[in-house]
């Protein structure tokens, strides 16, 4: 069995639990790195990639573990990012590795990581104050938070919040997301598994 560990110097290490052998895989480069802040370290189901962010930070990176290379640098905007976990989750579909990640307080995107890196959720940014119904369509007044992919990658659940503030847990189907880029805003499969009174 292997363990991944991140030390206070932002070094990512692999530890073989049975032998005690260690190997440095990468040095994480995050603009807001601070060793005294809690971090989020997630590993892809295939074991080939890792995602690292400050838990309530603005930035994240995706590392290819064999080479130690940063293959993707992410940012989720300025607006109250310190109030929720950085949204980040890997899942597999048809032998492809996908990444769900926050790109703004109220926006998630879907990126193919393997066999190539490609954004799959390209769409305009909705505006609640837009001049037309088209501009207002799909606007989401919700702060995305921690993401949890189901074991087979079919669903993602998240813990986010809305103003008051109050927590709100949502879930959606990733297969729909692959064909409808608006799934996380108002897709047919989107549901709230816990709604505040």
């Amino acid at each position: 069995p292997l363990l991944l560990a991140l030390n206070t110097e932002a070094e990512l290490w692999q530890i073989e639990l049975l032998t005690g052998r260690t190997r440095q895989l990468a040095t994480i480069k995050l603009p807001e790195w601070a060793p005294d802040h809690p971090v989020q370290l997630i590993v892809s189901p295939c074991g080939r990639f890792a995602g690292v962010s400050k838990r309530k930070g603005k930035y994240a990176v995706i590392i290819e573990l064999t080479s130690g290379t940063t293959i993707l640098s992410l940012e989720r905007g300025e607006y109250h990012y310190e109030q929720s976990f950085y949204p980040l989750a890997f899942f597999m579909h048809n032998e492809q590795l996908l990444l769900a990640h926050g790109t703004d307080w109220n926006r998630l995107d879907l990126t193919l990581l393997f066999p190539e890196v490609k954004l799959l959720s390209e769409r305009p940014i909705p505006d609640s104050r837009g001049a037309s119904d088209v501009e207002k369509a799909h606007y989401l007044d919700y702060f995305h938070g921690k993401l949890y992919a189901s074991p087979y990658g079919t669903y993602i659940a998240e813990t986010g919040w809305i103003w008051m503030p109050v927590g709100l847990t949502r879930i959606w189907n990733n297969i729909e997301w692959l064909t409808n880029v608006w799934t996380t805003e108002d897709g047919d499969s989107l549901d709230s598994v816990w709604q505040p009174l």
Side-chain angles (χ1 to χ4, degrees), residues 2 14 18 24 45 83 93 113 118-119 135 156 163 182:
L2 299 175
Q14 175 183 285
L18 296 179
Q24 184 179 347
Q83 301 299 325
H93 177 68
L113 288 182
K118 179 182 177 184
L119 180 65
E135 289 178 284
I156 285 186
W163 279 111
W182 299 106

Side-chain angles (χ1 to χ4, degrees), residues 29-67:
K29 295 186 178 10
L30 280 174
E32 60 186 358
W33 176 260
D36 57 337
H37 287 133
V39 295
Q40 172 178 219
L41 171 61
I42 64 169
V43 180
S44 66
C46 61
R48 184 171 175 176
F49 299 91
V52 180
S53 73
K54 197 166 98 176
R55 282 190 196 170
K56 294 187 176 180
K58 180 180 177 182
Y59 304 97
V61 291
I62 306 301
I63 307 294
E64 201 277 319
L65 295 175
T66 303
S67 66

Side-chain angles (χ1 to χ4, degrees), residues 83-99:
Q83 301 299 325
S84 64
F85 261 79
Y86 197 109
L88 208 57
F90 295 108
F91 66 95
M92 299 290 297
H93 177 68
N94 290 342
E95 299 184 9
Q96 295 181 322
L97 178 64
L98 298 116
L99 175 72

Side-chain angles (χ1 to χ4, degrees), residues 171-189:
I171 190 168
W172 61 88
N173 186 297
N174 286 326
I175 310 309
E176 179 192 349
W177 200 9
L178 289 166
T179 57
N180 174 12
V181 295
W182 299 106
T183 294
T184 60
E185 283 85 7
D186 53 15
D188 291 339
S189 67

